[in-house]
Amino acid sequence: MQNTNKKLFEETPVPQAVQTMMIPTIIGALVTVLYSLADTLFVGMMNDQIQNAAVALAAPALLAFNAVINLFGIGSSSMMSRALGRGDLKTVCASASLGFYGTVVSGALLSALCYIFMQPFVVLLGGDINTAAATTAYMNWAVVCGAIPTILNVVMGYMVRAEGASLHASIGTMSGCILNMILDPFFIHPWGLGMGAAGAGLATFLSNCFACCYFFVLLMVRKKNLSLTKEIVFGVMEVGIPAAIQNLLNVTGMTILNNFVAGYGSSAVAAVGIAQKVYMVPIQVALGGTQGVMPLVGYSYASKNKQRFEETIQTVMKLLVPCMVLIMILCWIFAPSLIRLFMKNEEVITYGAMFLRGFCMCMPFMLVDFLAVSVFESVGMGKTALVFAILRKIVFEIPAIVILNKIFQASGITYAGFVS
């Protein structure tokens, strides 16, 4: 670890250290969500509900990538930051190598499974005779071809951030997003290649490949660093597996939500897709902020610096909770205008504003949940973090979707997250 990064972990005042780690991570997280926002925006410009619904229906499949990202990204980075706190550089290198190769193998497996079971998978996501073809075309590029570079891009960012190089992690992610926004309109619209939703998937695939090249140069992971001792594998999996399960629960919740919404027509499906993408912007701020300080928390915990450990957590709360409350109010007020930016269909705007207002109500609570989960994952308590996800998704949110839909129909579904 460079001396400048060691100084950041040990000597820099906590508010300054938190901002140094958190701000680039938030920017990187926002850039990540811009990938899907760009797809939704440029596909929405076609004013074709089927193409827009295809991007919305594929969202849970892309969210499933986070299971592998959490397994090897959070698992490896947590192990790395704690090893740095102990001064164990050998474990740092071995954990990074395990994360890299595990990501490649897992991404290839996801691609193969999606290719083989594409048709039943699209039906499971809520696709019907109208939306199946467009959804399949999008997923062929974004999932079948794009799984490895998309996942690897984010996992390598976690590894770089674990060593304190938060800015480099964000630059890598941002480079891919900028390319994606350049390619999207050319691939999607009739004046370019005219590929519709499939073009959005192709642009995402190519831009993630480009971002991976940046990290390849930066990390230069070598095979000789891979030392699969029992302690390293167990340490990564102890945090990574519960984090991956948490994500699979999120995918399950989104899939169930989309299936219930699909019963109200393609306009409702397109609307919930747009609302989810807008909602993901502040959620990524919360997620980026809480995950950005994971290396600080893990390092302080491993080096037994209790005061710095607690002050880091308190600083994040003071910075981000007021921010989430303000964003919640703004989203509620300007919900119709935000949906109209993506699609100028009055039925979609009505549905979308309703969904967005319901989603935004849980923002401050999600911030606290994310912070608790990040702290537990940072210190190696993955099983405790998993309890939060099980309570939120299985015990509360999924039953809330069923009950609120039965009582209030579409307007009720949107508040399931807030209730949970």
Side-chain angles (χ1 to χ4, degrees), residues 13-72:
V14 169
Q16 183 181 340
V18 166
Q19 291 178 45
T20 300
M21 293 295 292
M22 190 169 67
I23 292 174
T25 309
I26 289 174
I27 293 172
L30 287 174
V31 167
T32 300
V33 81
L34 283 176
Y35 273 103
S36 55
L37 272 176
D39 289 349
T40 304
L41 177 63
F42 289 113
V43 172
M45 288 178 179
M46 299 177 70
N47 213 30
D48 185 332
Q49 295 178 27
I50 300 301
Q51 296 294 322
N52 215 72
V55 176
L57 290 171
L62 299 178
L63 187 61
F65 287 173
N66 287 338
V68 179
I69 290 169
N70 289 354
L71 175 59
F72 293 108

Side-chain angles (χ1 to χ4, degrees), residues 200-247:
L202 175 57
T204 299
F205 164 64
L206 293 176
S207 58
N208 277 306
C209 288
F210 180 83
C212 280
C213 291
Y214 176 87
F215 285 118
F216 284 146
V217 174
L218 189 64
L219 288 175
M220 297 297 288
V221 177
R222 301 184 186 276
K223 189 175 182 180
K224 67 180 181 181
N225 288 333
L226 183 58
S227 177
L228 293 180
T229 64
K230 178 181 177 181
E231 291 75 16
I232 291 172
V233 174
F234 181 78
V236 170
M237 296 302 166
E238 187 179 25
V239 173
I241 290 176
I245 294 172
Q246 289 177 57
N247 179 256

Side-chain angles (χ1 to χ4, degrees), residues 368-399:
V368 178
D369 180 78
F370 289 160
L371 181 58
V373 168
S374 293
V375 170
F376 286 124
E377 289 173 343
S378 298
V379 302
M381 298 172 63
K383 293 178 183 177
T384 306
L386 180 59
V387 171
F388 282 81
I390 292 174
L391 286 173
R392 182 162 55 87
K393 284 292 177 184
I394 302 299
V395 178
F396 298 125
E397 185 169 324
I398 293 176

